[in-house]
């Protein structure tokens, strides 16, 4: 009976030691090994002006109930800023007064509902 307890204790110790060593190796940068791959395969919009082709080819990672919210929110915020800048530039070139800007409190969303 005591022999079985000793064997179980030794096996548990070896497993614990292996887990600690695996964790230590995983935390260390090893030369010649590539960066870890994440679970998110979506790529954001490229830097600079965004054209229709980039928007049409944009894809988001799927989550449990749809898409990853942080990816969609970030992209929508970027597109809203880009459209605001373009509208202001068009108005400036036409010599018009600039269009209303997007409010941070998202008050303009209530008008669309």
């Amino acid at each position: 009976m005591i022999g079985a307890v000793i064997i179980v204790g030794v096996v548990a110790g070896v497993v614990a030691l292996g887990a600690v060593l695996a964790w230590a190796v995983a935390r260390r940068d090893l030369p010649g090994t590539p960066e870890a791959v994440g679970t998110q395969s979506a790529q954001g919009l490229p830097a600079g002006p965004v054209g229709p082709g980039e928007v049409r080819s944009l894809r988001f990672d799927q989550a449990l109930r749809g898409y990853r919210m942080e990816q969609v929110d970030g992209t929508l915020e970027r597109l809203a800023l880009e459209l605001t800048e373009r509208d202001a530039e068009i108005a400036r070139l036409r010599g018009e007064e600039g269009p209303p800007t997007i409010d941070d409190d998202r008050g303009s969303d209530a008008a669309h509902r």
Side-chain angles (χ1 to χ4, degrees), residues 29-105:
D29 290 333
L30 298 175
T33 58
E35 289 292 320
V37 177
T39 60
Q40 297 184 8
S41 61
Q43 296 180 0
L45 293 171
V50 178
E54 288 90 2
V55 174
R56 285 187 187 105
S57 66
L58 187 62
R59 299 291 179 260
F60 299 105
D61 291 329
Q62 291 188 350
L64 182 60
R65 295 185 179 159
Y67 294 102
R68 293 189 183 267
M69 189 168 42
E70 68 274 2
Q71 292 175 354
V72 175
D73 288 346
T75 301
L76 289 176
E77 191 65 36
R78 166 86 188 278
L79 288 173
L81 179 64
E82 184 90 19
L83 289 173
T84 301
E85 290 173 357
R86 286 184 185 180
D87 289 346
E89 180 69 12
I90 290 170
R92 185 189 67 77
L93 291 172
R94 289 182 179 167
E96 301 172 357
E97 194 172 308
T101 59
I102 297 174
D103 296 332
D104 285 342
D105 62 355

Side-chain angles (χ1 to χ4, degrees), residues 9-33:
V10 168
V11 169
V14 169
V15 168
L17 180 63
V20 169
L21 289 175
W23 176 81
V25 168
R27 303 286 297 171
R28 189 172 162 211
D29 290 333
L30 298 175
T33 58

